[in-house]
Amino acid sequence: MSIKPKNQENKDPRENQENQENKKGLHRSWSHLPPELLCLVSSYLLAGDFTTFRVICKSWRSSTSLPRPAVSTLTDSPWSLSPCLMSVGSHKCSFFHPAYQKHDACEIDIPELLDARIRFSKYGWLLLTGFGYDNFSVFFFNPFTKEKVELPKYKNRESFITMSFSSPPTSSDCFVIGICGWGDFGFIKRGEKRWTSHTIINRPEFTPSSYCNPILHKGLCYCLGENGGLGVFDPNDNPSNWIIYHNDKIPLIQEKLDSVHRSYLVESDEGKLLAIFMVEEGDSKTPIHVFELPKLQINKNMMKPRKIVCRIVRSLGNRILYISLGGSFLGPVVPRGLGNKIYLPIFEDKKNIFYSLSTGKYHFILDDYSAKNIHRLQEPMNCCWIQGRPKLILNKDFEW
Amino acid sequence: MKFCTVKQYFDDENNNNVTNGIATTVIPLPNKHLKIKANNKEMEQYEQELLRNVMPQELTKLILAANYLNFKEALDFFCRTVANAIQNKSVDYVRKFFGLESDFEPGEEEKLCKEFAWSFEGVDED
């Protein structure tokens, strides 16, 4: 039994009563605010703050189910420099950013993209290929400024399976690489009028992955292989000579070759390369593995594949990883609650899916549902992350 | 157009929504708003002042008044101020600040916190 000290009991009873009244009044005013006004308040909150809002009390939570007013367009917002997901539908392109948690936050009509396929995105530019008979067009497109840079057509029966480029098309050292599969690839440098074809010399154990675009990093080209290996070559010096490395952690995460169904290569902001593997697994294992590749000693005379020790990345700290076939980015986080997660270009019922490294599961934004695997969900065809850039206007007589 | 609604309000005797004190705060807003619209820093200062002097009980009345008067800029401004007060704060702090209590069932709240555990990291100290 607790006994209150005497001096507390003798406190002015009127003051206590007043405090109680104030408290009740406060409670009444905030919990009884009309739901559409509560919804307006919540529309200014992003990510972690938005979920805090939903957990306060029942009336606040139910106000969030009302349609949210659009706050500002993605291109003008503070997040305009962080990647947003662009998906090209049959009529319009829609942009999505996880901080806004609202699919179709911004829709733009871009007719130039309707018959083209997005291959790679970096520096605010998209690399696309158009369909054609016996040759197909390759071009750069900037969806923010609507500028287009046409490249010479690629005349070859085989089309590219994966593609990448080194720098913005406005820079003089830009070059584009396209891998056809089975060791054939083509590339073209800025200023060249024709594509040059190459074949990887004598590397029977290595096949470039058909799901992962190569990455140009510090002057060299890195490419993940079908079995999780890594191929590296110097595009400026004998590009057919690929040095092959085997990742020592791959045998630990897969028992069958075909359980890795997606892989991605990303440059981290610290100048390192990360390799991400999505695995189709049962409930017991981790669905996504992230490895940091070590600094490689490139010995161009190396004929046999070498084993490299990769570091398992268990946490991204305060950064977000955005992955898609067309482009993957690792970015610092601004809104609270979005960090240490991998955002995927997958939607179900217009809700975006992300993977949390701390829980080891897939989650839906704005929903309570979480799952260990999502193999039943497809990545939409023409959809990739794109990083906005400050607007640059091309000269009128700009040529590739 | 905005002042038509104000006139209507003053003619409406049975209106208990907006007290005189609130009216004096809301009415000069359009002028002030136009003056300092360009200067973001001053807006921030004004916001801070508002937060210190008015929060939180009066702010609900301000929001309701701005809504009733159909004064969109003021409404957006007040809602943003509330949102800034919630930003980066823990659930407990927000509840205390607005005088709210959780009315969830005990199991329900636990379940919510568990599902959204990823969003509760990195809050400011209470």
Side-chain angles (χ1 to χ4, degrees), chain A residues 105-117:
Chain A
C106 174
E107 276 190 335
I108 301 178
D109 206 356
I110 310 183
E112 293 94 331
L113 294 183
L114 284 181
D115 285 320
R117 189 175 143 194

Side-chain angles (χ1 to χ4, degrees), chain B residues 41-95:
Chain B
K41 213 69 206 274
E42 276 196 50
M43 278 296 248
E44 257 173 60
Q45 276 177 340
Y46 182 64
E47 200 175 284
Q48 291 293 334
E49 238 182 80
L50 198 76
L51 271 172
R52 253 179 287 131
N53 300 334
V54 168
M55 284 291 259
Q57 178 136 20
E58 304 292 300
L59 201 51
T60 45
K61 298 194 182 151
L62 279 174
I63 292 180
L64 287 166
N67 187 40
Y68 180 79
L69 294 171
N70 228 345
F71 189 174
K72 192 174 185 298
E73 282 89 2
L75 185 61
D76 283 342
F77 177 67
F78 294 134
C79 288
R80 223 178 320 127
T81 315
V82 177
N84 286 339
I86 300 176
Q87 198 171 48
N88 280 338
K89 296 286 189 292
S90 71
V91 177
D92 287 330
Y93 179 92
V94 176
R95 283 194 185 134

Side-chain angles (χ1 to χ4, degrees), chain A residues 314-321 333 337-343 354-359, chain B residues 121:
Chain A
R314 293 187 205 282
S315 162
L316 292 169
N318 203 30
R319 293 175 296 174
I320 318 183
L321 185 57
V333 153
L338 290 187
N340 202 22
K341 299 186 179 56
I342 301 179
Y343 284 87
F354 67 89
Y355 174 82
S356 160
L357 277 99
S358 42
T359 65
Chain B
E121 305 154 17

Side-chain angles (χ1 to χ4, degrees), chain A residues 22-23 25-31 33-34 36-37 40-41 44-45 47-49 51-61 101 336-341 343 354 356 358-359 361 363-370, chain B residues 55-61 63-64 67 75-80 82-84 86-92 94-105 108-109 111-113 115-116 118-124:
Chain A
N22 276 341
K23 240 182 141 182
L26 201 63
H27 171 91
R28 214 171 332 148
S29 52
W30 281 106
S31 63
L33 207 60
E36 57 276 8
L37 295 181
L40 188 59
V41 173
Y44 289 104
L45 294 169
D49 296 324
T51 29
T52 303
F53 186 91
R54 296 182 77 216
V55 180
I56 300 294
C57 66
K58 278 191 180 162
S59 58
W60 283 33
R61 182 175 169 80
Q101 296 170 13
R336 182 180 68 80
L338 290 187
N340 202 22
K341 299 186 179 56
Y343 284 87
F354 67 89
S356 160
S358 42
T359 65
K361 287 198 244 169
H363 298 263
F364 283 109
I365 287 182
L366 270 200
D367 210 322
D368 303 346
Y369 177 76
S370 67
Chain B
M55 284 291 259
Q57 178 136 20
E58 304 292 300
L59 201 51
T60 45
K61 298 194 182 151
I63 292 180
L64 287 166
N67 187 40
L75 185 61
D76 283 342
F77 177 67
F78 294 134
C79 288
R80 223 178 320 127
V82 177
N84 286 339
I86 300 176
Q87 198 171 48
N88 280 338
K89 296 286 189 292
S90 71
V91 177
D92 287 330
V94 176
R95 283 194 185 134
K96 225 183 341 166
F97 189 76
F98 292 97
L100 292 163
E101 274 163 23
S102 162
D103 53 353
F104 292 113
E105 316 295 319
E108 205 181 338
E109 188 174 336
K111 184 171 155 250
L112 278 175
C113 288
E115 284 302 328
F116 291 121
W118 53 266
S119 71
F120 297 131
E121 305 154 17
V123 286
D124 292 344

Side-chain angles (χ1 to χ4, degrees), chain A residues 346-390:
Chain A
I346 298 176
F347 291 86
E348 191 187 38
D349 290 336
K350 294 208 164 182
K351 287 182 283 205
N352 180 237
I353 293 187
F354 67 89
Y355 174 82
S356 160
L357 277 99
S358 42
T359 65
K361 287 198 244 169
Y362 295 100
H363 298 263
F364 283 109
I365 287 182
L366 270 200
D367 210 322
D368 303 346
Y369 177 76
S370 67
K372 263 283 183 182
N373 60 49
I374 50 160
H375 53 258
R376 70 186 191 286
L377 297 172
Q378 288 295 327
E379 183 171 328
M381 246 327 265
N382 233 0
C383 180
C384 76
W385 294 98
I386 179 165
Q387 191 153 26
R389 283 282 141 156

Side-chain angles (χ1 to χ4, degrees), chain A residues 116-139:
Chain A
R117 189 175 143 194
I118 301 180
R119 298 309 205 110
F120 196 68
S121 109
K122 207 162 184 191
Y123 310 113
W125 285 92
L126 292 175
L127 180 66
L128 301 108
T129 51
F131 309 111
Y133 177 74
D134 235 4
N135 62 53
F136 52 88
S137 61
V138 182
F139 61 98

